[in-house]
Structures are given as structure tokens and as C-alpha cells.
Amino acid sequence: MLTFKRTTSDNPDFEKLVVQLDTYLTILDGEDHAFYSQFNKSSLLKNALIVYENENPVAIGAYKEYDAETAEMKRMFTLPEHRGKGIATKVLSELESWAKEENYKTALLETGFMQKDAIYLYQKLGYKIIENFGQYQGVENSICMKKNI
């Protein structure tokens, strides 16, 4: 059974999965990892979500304010052995609902061009590719996406 916990990024279970996410991204991003990691600091995220299966943390996601009407989705990760079960879809849906509760109208996100499964998931859930925003402008390896929520 899956349970969802709204928390902050200083939750030990969230931090534990962030370590695994960063290890995964180090491999995927290769030489570009140092550039991306500066924008993916997980500290001080006040809107973090942990998914538990039988009390074990198996997935995370978070968002932060981009501007008064826009939430930027961050730190989406599901343990490899739990992928393919629809958990990431549920995480993103829950984050969008939470952001809507806080009166955000739009969700933004950035992902790497090598993360084909993530790109497919986001597009399937209604995200559209946009011009790179903020710190990702001019970064060829970044794919930025947007959705009205």
C-alpha cells in the first residue's frame, strides 16, 4: 500500500532518497552534473513529498516557488525497483494538487535530455516543451516544460 507524506526537504527519508537521486544523475549528466547540481540543492524546500510503500520510502518529489503564480517542480525520483508502477505519476499529481492549494496556476520543470522516461512521463501528463527558463537558458542539455494546473 502506498502512502504520501507532505513534509520538507530536511526530512531524513527525503534526504536519503536525494542521495540516491544525485548518484543516478551523476551518471546520466556526466560532465554536466556539476553545473546542474548547483540548481538542485534540496535544502530549504518547504514543499517536499515522500511516497512510502509498506513504511519504506520509495519515491520523492518537491516544488518551490518560481514566481507568484508558478511552482517549479523539483527532485522527482522513484527507486529503480519501484518504477513502472505509476508512482511518479501519482507524485507529480499530488505535487500539482498541493501547488494548486497554494494558489499557483502554472507548473514549470527542467529535466535532462538524456532522461527519456521522464520526458515521456511529463508529456503524457500534459507538460509542453518550452524555451528554457531562468538559469537553463542557453543550456542545450536541458529540456524545460510547462503546464497549467
Side-chain angles (χ1 to χ4, degrees), residues 80-110:
E81 61 270 24
H82 293 275
R83 293 180 187 160
K85 300 177 181 178
I87 295 173
T89 297
K90 293 174 183 171
V91 169
L92 193 52
S93 294
E94 178 65 21
L95 290 172
E96 290 170 355
S97 293
W98 193 1
K100 282 169 53 172
E101 289 171 22
E102 294 194 334
N103 298 314
Y104 292 105
K105 309 283 185 242
T106 306
L108 285 178
L109 60 84
E110 181 276 340

PDB file of all heavy atoms in Angstrom, residues 80-110:
ATOM      1  N   PRO A  80      14.682   2.668  -8.559  1.00  0.00           N
ATOM      2  CA  PRO A  80      14.590   1.859  -9.786  1.00  0.00           C
ATOM      3  C   PRO A  80      13.705   0.622  -9.664  1.00  0.00           C
ATOM      4  O   PRO A  80      12.955   0.303 -10.585  1.00  0.00           O
ATOM      5  CB  PRO A  80      16.048   1.480 -10.066  1.00  0.00           C
ATOM      6  CG  PRO A  80      16.839   2.593  -9.452  1.00  0.00           C
ATOM      7  CD  PRO A  80      16.062   3.003  -8.223  1.00  0.00           C
ATOM      8  N   GLU A  81      13.765  -0.045  -8.542  1.00  0.00           N
ATOM      9  CA  GLU A  81      12.983  -1.276  -8.386  1.00  0.00           C
ATOM     10  C   GLU A  81      11.486  -1.014  -8.226  1.00  0.00           C
ATOM     11  O   GLU A  81      10.681  -1.944  -8.225  1.00  0.00           O
ATOM     12  CB  GLU A  81      13.520  -2.122  -7.218  1.00  0.00           C
ATOM     13  CG  GLU A  81      13.478  -1.445  -5.876  1.00  0.00           C
ATOM     14  CD  GLU A  81      14.731  -0.637  -5.515  1.00  0.00           C
ATOM     15  OE1 GLU A  81      15.474  -0.198  -6.433  1.00  0.00           O
ATOM     16  OE2 GLU A  81      14.947  -0.435  -4.316  1.00  0.00           O
ATOM     17  N   HIS A  82      11.096   0.242  -8.116  1.00  0.00           N
ATOM     18  CA  HIS A  82       9.678   0.591  -7.976  1.00  0.00           C
ATOM     19  C   HIS A  82       9.131   1.332  -9.196  1.00  0.00           C
ATOM     20  O   HIS A  82       7.985   1.778  -9.185  1.00  0.00           O
ATOM     21  CB  HIS A  82       9.461   1.424  -6.712  1.00  0.00           C
ATOM     22  CG  HIS A  82       9.706   0.645  -5.465  1.00  0.00           C
ATOM     23  ND1 HIS A  82       8.749  -0.142  -4.873  1.00  0.00           N
ATOM     24  CD2 HIS A  82      10.825   0.493  -4.710  1.00  0.00           C
ATOM     25  CE1 HIS A  82       9.250  -0.731  -3.806  1.00  0.00           C
ATOM     26  NE2 HIS A  82      10.503  -0.360  -3.685  1.00  0.00           N
ATOM     27  N   ARG A  83       9.937   1.447 -10.226  1.00  0.00           N
ATOM     28  CA  ARG A  83       9.493   2.127 -11.439  1.00  0.00           C
ATOM     29  C   ARG A  83       8.537   1.235 -12.231  1.00  0.00           C
ATOM     30  O   ARG A  83       8.522   0.024 -12.077  1.00  0.00           O
ATOM     31  CB  ARG A  83      10.701   2.519 -12.289  1.00  0.00           C
ATOM     32  CG  ARG A  83      11.527   3.578 -11.594  1.00  0.00           C
ATOM     33  CD  ARG A  83      12.728   4.015 -12.378  1.00  0.00           C
ATOM     34  NE  ARG A  83      13.511   4.915 -11.514  1.00  0.00           N
ATOM     35  CZ  ARG A  83      14.773   5.191 -11.703  1.00  0.00           C
ATOM     36  NH1 ARG A  83      15.432   4.678 -12.721  1.00  0.00           N
ATOM     37  NH2 ARG A  83      15.401   6.002 -10.872  1.00  0.00           N
ATOM     38  N   GLY A  84       7.737   1.878 -13.068  1.00  0.00           N
ATOM     39  CA  GLY A  84       6.786   1.140 -13.891  1.00  0.00           C
ATOM     40  C   GLY A  84       5.483   0.810 -13.187  1.00  0.00           C
ATOM     41  O   GLY A  84       4.651   0.075 -13.716  1.00  0.00           O
ATOM     42  N   LYS A  85       5.286   1.346 -11.989  1.00  0.00           N
ATOM     43  CA  LYS A  85       4.071   1.084 -11.215  1.00  0.00           C
ATOM     44  C   LYS A  85       3.148   2.301 -11.160  1.00  0.00           C
ATOM     45  O   LYS A  85       2.161   2.282 -10.442  1.00  0.00           O
ATOM     46  CB  LYS A  85       4.439   0.698  -9.778  1.00  0.00           C
ATOM     47  CG  LYS A  85       5.302  -0.537  -9.641  1.00  0.00           C
ATOM     48  CD  LYS A  85       5.650  -0.764  -8.176  1.00  0.00           C
ATOM     49  CE  LYS A  85       6.534  -1.959  -7.966  1.00  0.00           C
ATOM     50  NZ  LYS A  85       6.891  -2.133  -6.539  1.00  0.00           N
ATOM     51  N   GLY A  86       3.517   3.379 -11.858  1.00  0.00           N
ATOM     52  CA  GLY A  86       2.697   4.587 -11.842  1.00  0.00           C
ATOM     53  C   GLY A  86       2.944   5.494 -10.653  1.00  0.00           C
ATOM     54  O   GLY A  86       2.194   6.450 -10.435  1.00  0.00           O
ATOM     55  N   ILE A  87       3.979   5.228  -9.893  1.00  0.00           N
ATOM     56  CA  ILE A  87       4.236   6.030  -8.693  1.00  0.00           C
ATOM     57  C   ILE A  87       4.611   7.463  -9.062  1.00  0.00           C
ATOM     58  O   ILE A  87       4.116   8.417  -8.447  1.00  0.00           O
ATOM     59  CB  ILE A  87       5.328   5.372  -7.816  1.00  0.00           C
ATOM     60  CG1 ILE A  87       4.814   4.025  -7.279  1.00  0.00           C
ATOM     61  CG2 ILE A  87       5.734   6.294  -6.668  1.00  0.00           C
ATOM     62  CD1 ILE A  87       5.853   3.196  -6.547  1.00  0.00           C
ATOM     63  N   ALA A  88       5.458   7.648 -10.059  1.00  0.00           N
ATOM     64  CA  ALA A  88       5.875   9.006 -10.444  1.00  0.00           C
ATOM     65  C   ALA A  88       4.675   9.838 -10.895  1.00  0.00           C
ATOM     66  O   ALA A  88       4.596  11.035 -10.591  1.00  0.00           O
ATOM     67  CB  ALA A  88       6.933   8.948 -11.541  1.00  0.00           C
ATOM     68  N   THR A  89       3.747   9.217 -11.587  1.00  0.00           N
ATOM     69  CA  THR A  89       2.524   9.917 -11.989  1.00  0.00           C
ATOM     70  C   THR A  89       1.769  10.412 -10.759  1.00  0.00           C
ATOM     71  O   THR A  89       1.300  11.558 -10.707  1.00  0.00           O
ATOM     72  CB  THR A  89       1.629   8.985 -12.828  1.00  0.00           C
ATOM     73  OG1 THR A  89       2.326   8.640 -14.029  1.00  0.00           O
ATOM     74  CG2 THR A  89       0.302   9.631 -13.169  1.00  0.00           C
ATOM     75  N   LYS A  90       1.666   9.557  -9.755  1.00  0.00           N
ATOM     76  CA  LYS A  90       0.967   9.928  -8.524  1.00  0.00           C
ATOM     77  C   LYS A  90       1.712  11.028  -7.774  1.00  0.00           C
ATOM     78  O   LYS A  90       1.078  11.931  -7.214  1.00  0.00           O
ATOM     79  CB  LYS A  90       0.767   8.692  -7.647  1.00  0.00           C
ATOM     80  CG  LYS A  90      -0.198   7.694  -8.258  1.00  0.00           C
ATOM     81  CD  LYS A  90      -0.280   6.418  -7.449  1.00  0.00           C
ATOM     82  CE  LYS A  90      -1.200   5.426  -8.159  1.00  0.00           C
ATOM     83  NZ  LYS A  90      -1.178   4.108  -7.561  1.00  0.00           N
ATOM     84  N   VAL A  91       3.034  10.963  -7.761  1.00  0.00           N
ATOM     85  CA  VAL A  91       3.832  12.000  -7.099  1.00  0.00           C
ATOM     86  C   VAL A  91       3.577  13.349  -7.761  1.00  0.00           C
ATOM     87  O   VAL A  91       3.282  14.344  -7.087  1.00  0.00           O
ATOM     88  CB  VAL A  91       5.342  11.664  -7.128  1.00  0.00           C
ATOM     89  CG1 VAL A  91       6.180  12.858  -6.685  1.00  0.00           C
ATOM     90  CG2 VAL A  91       5.645  10.461  -6.252  1.00  0.00           C
ATOM     91  N   LEU A  92       3.685  13.397  -9.074  1.00  0.00           N
ATOM     92  CA  LEU A  92       3.514  14.656  -9.780  1.00  0.00           C
ATOM     93  C   LEU A  92       2.083  15.182  -9.629  1.00  0.00           C
ATOM     94  O   LEU A  92       1.879  16.380  -9.411  1.00  0.00           O
ATOM     95  CB  LEU A  92       3.889  14.508 -11.253  1.00  0.00           C
ATOM     96  CG  LEU A  92       4.042  15.809 -12.031  1.00  0.00           C
ATOM     97  CD1 LEU A  92       4.988  16.788 -11.353  1.00  0.00           C
ATOM     98  CD2 LEU A  92       4.525  15.502 -13.447  1.00  0.00           C
ATOM     99  N   SER A  93       1.112  14.315  -9.678  1.00  0.00           N
ATOM    100  CA  SER A  93      -0.277  14.738  -9.490  1.00  0.00           C
ATOM    101  C   SER A  93      -0.493  15.318  -8.097  1.00  0.00           C
ATOM    102  O   SER A  93      -1.181  16.337  -7.925  1.00  0.00           O
ATOM    103  CB  SER A  93      -1.236  13.568  -9.722  1.00  0.00           C
ATOM    104  OG  SER A  93      -1.192  13.171 -11.068  1.00  0.00           O
ATOM    105  N   GLU A  94       0.080  14.681  -7.106  1.00  0.00           N
ATOM    106  CA  GLU A  94      -0.046  15.180  -5.731  1.00  0.00           C
ATOM    107  C   GLU A  94       0.663  16.529  -5.574  1.00  0.00           C
ATOM    108  O   GLU A  94       0.145  17.437  -4.915  1.00  0.00           O
ATOM    109  CB  GLU A  94       0.517  14.161  -4.735  1.00  0.00           C
ATOM    110  CG  GLU A  94       0.469  14.611  -3.289  1.00  0.00           C
ATOM    111  CD  GLU A  94      -0.934  14.794  -2.719  1.00  0.00           C
ATOM    112  OE1 GLU A  94      -1.901  14.232  -3.265  1.00  0.00           O
ATOM    113  OE2 GLU A  94      -1.059  15.510  -1.708  1.00  0.00           O
ATOM    114  N   LEU A  95       1.836  16.681  -6.180  1.00  0.00           N
ATOM    115  CA  LEU A  95       2.542  17.964  -6.116  1.00  0.00           C
ATOM    116  C   LEU A  95       1.733  19.066  -6.800  1.00  0.00           C
ATOM    117  O   LEU A  95       1.645  20.192  -6.293  1.00  0.00           O
ATOM    118  CB  LEU A  95       3.930  17.854  -6.748  1.00  0.00           C
ATOM    119  CG  LEU A  95       4.958  17.027  -5.980  1.00  0.00           C
ATOM    120  CD1 LEU A  95       6.220  16.844  -6.818  1.00  0.00           C
ATOM    121  CD2 LEU A  95       5.290  17.673  -4.635  1.00  0.00           C
ATOM    122  N   GLU A  96       1.144  18.749  -7.943  1.00  0.00           N
ATOM    123  CA  GLU A  96       0.314  19.736  -8.640  1.00  0.00           C
ATOM    124  C   GLU A  96      -0.890  20.131  -7.789  1.00  0.00           C
ATOM    125  O   GLU A  96      -1.244  21.318  -7.704  1.00  0.00           O
ATOM    126  CB  GLU A  96      -0.149  19.187  -9.984  1.00  0.00           C
ATOM    127  CG  GLU A  96       0.946  19.045 -11.004  1.00  0.00           C
ATOM    128  CD  GLU A  96       0.539  18.280 -12.246  1.00  0.00           C
ATOM    129  OE1 GLU A  96      -0.597  17.747 -12.303  1.00  0.00           O
ATOM    130  OE2 GLU A  96       1.363  18.202 -13.168  1.00  0.00           O
ATOM    131  N   SER A  97      -1.529  19.162  -7.146  1.00  0.00           N
ATOM    132  CA  SER A  97      -2.676  19.462  -6.274  1.00  0.00           C
ATOM    133  C   SER A  97      -2.264  20.358  -5.117  1.00  0.00           C
ATOM    134  O   SER A  97      -2.970  21.322  -4.773  1.00  0.00           O
ATOM    135  CB  SER A  97      -3.288  18.173  -5.720  1.00  0.00           C
ATOM    136  OG  SER A  97      -3.866  17.426  -6.747  1.00  0.00           O
ATOM    137  N   TRP A  98      -1.139  20.058  -4.533  1.00  0.00           N
ATOM    138  CA  TRP A  98      -0.625  20.841  -3.417  1.00  0.00           C
ATOM    139  C   TRP A  98      -0.335  22.274  -3.875  1.00  0.00           C
ATOM    140  O   TRP A  98      -0.701  23.242  -3.202  1.00  0.00           O
ATOM    141  CB  TRP A  98       0.616  20.162  -2.879  1.00  0.00           C
ATOM    142  CG  TRP A  98       1.135  20.628  -1.558  1.00  0.00           C
ATOM    143  CD1 TRP A  98       0.608  21.599  -0.742  1.00  0.00           C
ATOM    144  CD2 TRP A  98       2.282  20.128  -0.887  1.00  0.00           C
ATOM    145  NE1 TRP A  98       1.377  21.730   0.388  1.00  0.00           N
ATOM    146  CE2 TRP A  98       2.412  20.839   0.329  1.00  0.00           C
ATOM    147  CE3 TRP A  98       3.221  19.160  -1.198  1.00  0.00           C
ATOM    148  CZ2 TRP A  98       3.456  20.602   1.231  1.00  0.00           C
ATOM    149  CZ3 TRP A  98       4.261  18.923  -0.298  1.00  0.00           C
ATOM    150  CH2 TRP A  98       4.374  19.628   0.901  1.00  0.00           C
ATOM    151  N   ALA A  99       0.305  22.404  -5.034  1.00  0.00           N
ATOM    152  CA  ALA A  99       0.608  23.735  -5.573  1.00  0.00           C
ATOM    153  C   ALA A  99      -0.687  24.516  -5.852  1.00  0.00           C
ATOM    154  O   ALA A  99      -0.765  25.719  -5.575  1.00  0.00           O
ATOM    155  CB  ALA A  99       1.458  23.608  -6.837  1.00  0.00           C
ATOM    156  N   LYS A 100      -1.692  23.829  -6.385  1.00  0.00           N
ATOM    157  CA  LYS A 100      -2.983  24.487  -6.629  1.00  0.00           C
ATOM    158  C   LYS A 100      -3.601  24.974  -5.323  1.00  0.00           C
ATOM    159  O   LYS A 100      -4.179  26.059  -5.270  1.00  0.00           O
ATOM    160  CB  LYS A 100      -3.946  23.541  -7.351  1.00  0.00           C
ATOM    161  CG  LYS A 100      -3.654  23.423  -8.830  1.00  0.00           C
ATOM    162  CD  LYS A 100      -4.392  22.319  -9.540  1.00  0.00           C
ATOM    163  CE  LYS A 100      -5.867  22.288  -9.388  1.00  0.00           C
ATOM    164  NZ  LYS A 100      -6.513  21.295 -10.260  1.00  0.00           N
ATOM    165  N   GLU A 101      -3.484  24.174  -4.273  1.00  0.00           N
ATOM    166  CA  GLU A 101      -3.989  24.581  -2.957  1.00  0.00           C
ATOM    167  C   GLU A 101      -3.328  25.871  -2.497  1.00  0.00           C
ATOM    168  O   GLU A 101      -3.935  26.659  -1.764  1.00  0.00           O
ATOM    169  CB  GLU A 101      -3.726  23.488  -1.912  1.00  0.00           C
ATOM    170  CG  GLU A 101      -4.564  22.254  -2.076  1.00  0.00           C
ATOM    171  CD  GLU A 101      -4.118  21.129  -1.171  1.00  0.00           C
ATOM    172  OE1 GLU A 101      -3.453  21.397  -0.133  1.00  0.00           O
ATOM    173  OE2 GLU A 101      -4.415  19.960  -1.490  1.00  0.00           O
ATOM    174  N   GLU A 102      -2.091  26.089  -2.910  1.00  0.00           N
ATOM    175  CA  GLU A 102      -1.351  27.296  -2.545  1.00  0.00           C
ATOM    176  C   GLU A 102      -1.497  28.393  -3.607  1.00  0.00           C
ATOM    177  O   GLU A 102      -0.721  29.334  -3.633  1.00  0.00           O
ATOM    178  CB  GLU A 102       0.116  26.957  -2.295  1.00  0.00           C
ATOM    179  CG  GLU A 102       0.289  26.078  -1.074  1.00  0.00           C
ATOM    180  CD  GLU A 102       1.722  25.992  -0.586  1.00  0.00           C
ATOM    181  OE1 GLU A 102       2.663  26.177  -1.384  1.00  0.00           O
ATOM    182  OE2 GLU A 102       1.894  25.743   0.621  1.00  0.00           O
ATOM    183  N   ASN A 103      -2.484  28.215  -4.481  1.00  0.00           N
ATOM    184  CA  ASN A 103      -2.868  29.219  -5.481  1.00  0.00           C
ATOM    185  C   ASN A 103      -1.884  29.425  -6.624  1.00  0.00           C
ATOM    186  O   ASN A 103      -1.913  30.471  -7.281  1.00  0.00           O
ATOM    187  CB  ASN A 103      -3.195  30.559  -4.805  1.00  0.00           C
ATOM    188  CG  ASN A 103      -4.372  30.420  -3.875  1.00  0.00           C
ATOM    189  OD1 ASN A 103      -5.394  29.826  -4.237  1.00  0.00           O
ATOM    190  ND2 ASN A 103      -4.232  30.922  -2.662  1.00  0.00           N
ATOM    191  N   TYR A 104      -1.047  28.433  -6.894  1.00  0.00           N
ATOM    192  CA  TYR A 104      -0.218  28.502  -8.100  1.00  0.00           C
ATOM    193  C   TYR A 104      -1.082  28.106  -9.294  1.00  0.00           C
ATOM    194  O   TYR A 104      -1.954  27.251  -9.182  1.00  0.00           O
ATOM    195  CB  TYR A 104       1.003  27.583  -7.993  1.00  0.00           C
ATOM    196  CG  TYR A 104       1.990  28.055  -6.944  1.00  0.00           C
ATOM    197  CD1 TYR A 104       2.080  27.404  -5.722  1.00  0.00           C
ATOM    198  CD2 TYR A 104       2.816  29.152  -7.187  1.00  0.00           C
ATOM    199  CE1 TYR A 104       2.984  27.837  -4.745  1.00  0.00           C
ATOM    200  CE2 TYR A 104       3.709  29.590  -6.217  1.00  0.00           C
ATOM    201  CZ  TYR A 104       3.781  28.924  -5.007  1.00  0.00           C
ATOM    202  OH  TYR A 104       4.677  29.366  -4.044  1.00  0.00           O
ATOM    203  N   LYS A 105      -0.832  28.718 -10.417  1.00  0.00           N
ATOM    204  CA  LYS A 105      -1.614  28.483 -11.631  1.00  0.00           C
ATOM    205  C   LYS A 105      -0.852  27.644 -12.662  1.00  0.00           C
ATOM    206  O   LYS A 105      -1.455  27.039 -13.544  1.00  0.00           O
ATOM    207  CB  LYS A 105      -1.986  29.816 -12.302  1.00  0.00           C
ATOM    208  CG  LYS A 105      -2.622  30.831 -11.375  1.00  0.00           C
ATOM    209  CD  LYS A 105      -4.060  30.497 -11.098  1.00  0.00           C
ATOM    210  CE  LYS A 105      -4.723  31.589 -10.280  1.00  0.00           C
ATOM    211  NZ  LYS A 105      -5.189  31.160  -8.995  1.00  0.00           N
ATOM    212  N   THR A 106       0.477  27.652 -12.561  1.00  0.00           N
ATOM    213  CA  THR A 106       1.329  27.023 -13.564  1.00  0.00           C
ATOM    214  C   THR A 106       2.421  26.212 -12.873  1.00  0.00           C
ATOM    215  O   THR A 106       2.880  26.578 -11.789  1.00  0.00           O
ATOM    216  CB  THR A 106       1.988  28.118 -14.443  1.00  0.00           C
ATOM    217  OG1 THR A 106       0.974  28.961 -14.972  1.00  0.00           O
ATOM    218  CG2 THR A 106       2.774  27.522 -15.589  1.00  0.00           C
ATOM    219  N   ALA A 107       2.825  25.132 -13.521  1.00  0.00           N
ATOM    220  CA  ALA A 107       3.963  24.349 -13.054  1.00  0.00           C
ATOM    221  C   ALA A 107       5.033  24.364 -14.139  1.00  0.00           C
ATOM    222  O   ALA A 107       4.734  24.213 -15.324  1.00  0.00           O
ATOM    223  CB  ALA A 107       3.543  22.914 -12.759  1.00  0.00           C
ATOM    224  N   LEU A 108       6.258  24.568 -13.720  1.00  0.00           N
ATOM    225  CA  LEU A 108       7.431  24.504 -14.599  1.00  0.00           C
ATOM    226  C   LEU A 108       8.309  23.367 -14.126  1.00  0.00           C
ATOM    227  O   LEU A 108       8.284  23.002 -12.955  1.00  0.00           O
ATOM    228  CB  LEU A 108       8.280  25.782 -14.469  1.00  0.00           C
ATOM    229  CG  LEU A 108       7.853  27.067 -15.091  1.00  0.00           C
ATOM    230  CD1 LEU A 108       8.873  28.157 -14.744  1.00  0.00           C
ATOM    231  CD2 LEU A 108       7.736  26.933 -16.589  1.00  0.00           C
ATOM    232  N   LEU A 109       9.133  22.864 -15.026  1.00  0.00           N
ATOM    233  CA  LEU A 109      10.151  21.912 -14.616  1.00  0.00           C
ATOM    234  C   LEU A 109      11.267  21.890 -15.645  1.00  0.00           C
ATOM    235  O   LEU A 109      11.108  22.344 -16.774  1.00  0.00           O
ATOM    236  CB  LEU A 109       9.568  20.516 -14.405  1.00  0.00           C
ATOM    237  CG  LEU A 109       8.887  19.805 -15.569  1.00  0.00           C
ATOM    238  CD1 LEU A 109       9.887  19.087 -16.471  1.00  0.00           C
ATOM    239  CD2 LEU A 109       7.891  18.798 -15.025  1.00  0.00           C
ATOM    240  N   GLU A 110      12.385  21.364 -15.221  1.00  0.00           N
ATOM    241  CA  GLU A 110      13.535  21.155 -16.103  1.00  0.00           C
ATOM    242  C   GLU A 110      13.977  19.727 -15.913  1.00  0.00           C
ATOM    243  O   GLU A 110      13.969  19.202 -14.799  1.00  0.00           O
ATOM    244  CB  GLU A 110      14.670  22.116 -15.732  1.00  0.00           C
ATOM    245  CG  GLU A 110      15.914  21.996 -16.602  1.00  0.00           C
ATOM    246  CD  GLU A 110      16.885  20.887 -16.176  1.00  0.00           C
ATOM    247  OE1 GLU A 110      16.842  20.431 -15.015  1.00  0.00           O
ATOM    248  OE2 GLU A 110      17.687  20.454 -17.024  1.00  0.00           O
TER     249      GLU A 110
END
